[in-house]
Amino acid sequence: MQYRSLGKTNLKVSILGFGASPLGDEFRKTTAPERNSAVHAAIDRGINFFDVSPYYGRTLAEERLGEALVGRRDEVILATKCGRYDIDGFDFSARRVTASIDESLRRLRTDYVDLLQAHDIEFGDYRQIVEETIPALRRIQQSGKARFIGITGLPLKMLRNVAAAGGVDTILSYCRYNLMINDMDEILTPYARENGIGLINASPLHMGILTEQGPPSWHPAPEPVKRAGAKVVELCARRGVRVADVALRYCIEHPYVATTLVGMSRPDHVERNVEGIMKPIDPELLAEIRAVVAPVANITWPSGRPENNDYGESSDRAH
Ligand code: NAD
């Protein structure tokens, strides 16, 4: 496993990170033995960055990750989130996020997290995130309950603008840089790089679109994107390669992203993914994949308040 610096934090994170949302049964029902072995296999194979949230499985993922990490907490860099608690349950107030970290620490069975992130900030009020949430996160950091702070979300301009106005250590962007899409590099990456902000790229499989089993029923991508993804899966199968191997390798080759977070809950996926990132991509196959994706390239979907979307009001704020 290779490790990279996460921006200006002193954290050295594995290039492949463990996304813990599947531990909360977000994609399918899981069992305790497979969850625990997935987490332990990941640590044994050198994965040291784990990302979770109270939202995943409505606290289940944090509970279960906490259980799996008993006796191994010190071997990992642990990131969780605050502000999102349900599909429509958001509260980015200072009061809520300050209570939230204590609840997360109890579930995770630890007394600090390495990274605390405001979760899906596009569902919040821009000014509140900048003027209330981020200062509250900095106070939590000063208390020692979080070593660093960050933000997560889908719309790239809001992530960039909030980072510029509020000051954060890390940004987690998802479904904006992988085989299906790459607009993260137009809108967010240059800002993160110039300012030494740690960049975390999540959902290299486009939240399940680039898998043999296909996306979960709640997947928000437009149908043409799902159909193009299914064609990429078929194309890889015809060429005798695993689509996840190509998708992960593509993401970890990014020159600035510190870690790519893939969702896992099964030990065999952990083993496959750790091996998958070591296999170079056949350039001809990549060209064919690009051709399949071209008609839907950079198509995304709305998320959060209209004014926070990439073409809404907040997106054009000066920064
Ligand atoms: P993903 O693209 O990583 O896809 C996950 C799905 O792929 C799961 O069903 C998983 O079981 C499956 N999978 C993993 N490896 C596989 C393999 N080798 N073969 C076949 N299937 C495989 O999507 P994700 O889980 O949404 O994203 C990864 C992580 O990033 C999340 O768990 C979460 O930690 C983080 N994330 C954060 C945000 C946010 O903060 N707003 C949003 C999205 C993701």
Side-chain angles (χ1 to χ4, degrees), residues 6 13-14 16-18 47-51 77 79 115 200 259 261:
L6 184 59
V13 290
S14 48
L16 192 65
F18 191 107
I47 292 179
N48 72 354
F49 186 63
F50 284 72
D51 176 78
I77 293 170
L115 179 63
I200 300 163
T259 185
L261 274 176

Side-chain angles (χ1 to χ4, degrees), residues 19-22 27 51 56 81 119-120 152 172 174 202-208 211 213 244 261-263 269 272-273:
S21 71
F27 291 83
D51 176 78
Y56 301 148
K81 313 196 183 84
H119 192 173
D120 290 338
T152 84
L172 183 161
Y174 73 99
S203 308
L205 308 179
H206 222 39
M207 297 197 304
T211 62
Q213 65 271 26
L261 274 176
V262 61
H269 281 173
R272 271 194 228 162
N273 293 342

Side-chain angles (χ1 to χ4, degrees), residues 144-162:
K145 292 176 187 171
R147 292 178 67 197
F148 298 99
I149 68 156
I151 48 177
T152 84
L154 185 74
L156 297 163
K157 290 181 184 170
M158 186 179 186
L159 288 171
R160 184 192 65 198
N161 294 350
V162 166

Side-chain angles (χ1 to χ4, degrees), residues 261-273:
L261 274 176
V262 61
M264 293 184 282
S265 56
R266 290 172 36 174
D268 59 324
H269 281 173
V270 172
E271 301 292 341
R272 271 194 228 162
N273 293 342

Side-chain angles (χ1 to χ4, degrees), residues 3-297:
Y3 301 85
R4 291 186 191 146
S5 296
L6 184 59
K8 289 185 197 152
T9 73
N10 55 8
L11 303 173
K12 286 257 181 207
V13 290
S14 48
I15 55 174
L16 192 65
F18 191 107
S21 71
L23 299 186
D25 295 354
E26 293 284 354
F27 291 83
R28 66 180 178 96
K29 201 135 186 60
T30 59
T31 66
E34 66 178 344
R35 291 192 297 268
N36 293 338
S37 1
V39 169
H40 299 157
I43 299 173
D44 294 340
R45 299 297 299 257
I47 292 179
N48 72 354
F49 186 63
F50 284 72
D51 176 78
V52 70
S53 164
Y55 171 57
Y56 301 148
R58 318 302 169 264
T59 71
L60 272 184
E62 278 192 337
E63 285 285 359
R64 292 168 169 183
L65 182 59
E67 184 186 311
L69 288 178
V70 169
R72 308 204 68 170
R73 165 68 186 95
D74 295 345
E75 296 174 66
V76 304
I77 293 170
L78 187 53
T80 194
K81 313 196 183 84
C82 57
R84 179 164 205 179
Y85 304 98
D86 212 331
I87 296 196
D88 294 315
F90 295 88
D91 188 344
F92 292 99
S93 67
R95 215 171 64 115
R96 184 70 193 96
V97 302
T98 305
S100 186
I101 180 65
D102 289 332
E103 295 162 14
S104 291
L105 293 178
R106 263 197 304 279
R107 287 189 288 265
L108 290 164
R109 307 185 197 194
T110 184
D111 52 8
Y112 75 98
V113 290
D114 297 278
L115 179 63
L116 179 62
Q117 305 156 102
H119 192 173
D120 290 338
I121 56 169
E122 69 270 26
F123 288 87
D125 173 68
Y126 177 93
R127 286 185 65 127
Q128 185 186 36
I129 302 285
V130 170
E131 293 170 14
E132 182 176 340
T133 317
I134 292 177
L137 297 189
R138 286 289 180 210
R139 288 193 294 276
I140 292 169
Q141 180 185 26
Q142 280 152 15
S143 76
K145 292 176 187 171
R147 292 178 67 197
F148 298 99
I149 68 156
I151 48 177
T152 84
L154 185 74
L156 297 163
K157 290 181 184 170
M158 186 179 186
L159 288 171
R160 184 192 65 198
N161 294 350
V162 166
V168 291
D169 305 313
T170 66
I171 300 175
L172 183 161
S173 160
Y174 73 99
C175 287
R176 303 305 282 263
Y177 183 87
N178 59 47
L179 286 176
M180 305 295 297
I181 189 161
N182 62 18
D183 58 357
M184 181 180 85
D185 275 359
E186 282 161 38
I187 301 170
L188 184 62
T189 311
Y191 179 80
R193 189 201 287 262
E194 277 157 29
N195 292 279
I197 296 173
L199 189 56
I200 300 163
N201 182 31
S203 308
L205 308 179
H206 222 39
M207 297 197 304
I209 285 187
L210 294 174
T211 62
E212 289 79 11
Q213 65 271 26
S217 56
W218 50 258
H219 202 297
E223 282 308 314
V225 173
K226 292 183 185 167
R227 282 199 295 273
K231 282 191 196 157
V232 173
V233 176
E234 277 166 35
L235 171 62
C236 290
R238 278 204 304 280
R239 294 286 178 281
V241 296
R242 287 198 191 113
V243 63
D245 292 357
V246 183
L248 291 175
R249 173 75 187 206
Y250 180 81
C251 288
I252 61 118
E253 282 181 352
H254 190 283
Y256 185 70
V257 165
T259 185
T260 296
L261 274 176
V262 61
M264 293 184 282
S265 56
R266 290 172 36 174
D268 59 324
H269 281 173
V270 172
E271 301 292 341
R272 271 194 228 162
N273 293 342
V274 170
E275 278 161 27
I277 57 171
M278 301 203 267
K279 299 181 191 159
I281 304 175
D282 169 9
E284 269 178 38
L285 174 61
L286 188 58
E288 285 180 75
I289 292 174
R290 285 194 202 286
V292 169
V293 171
V296 296

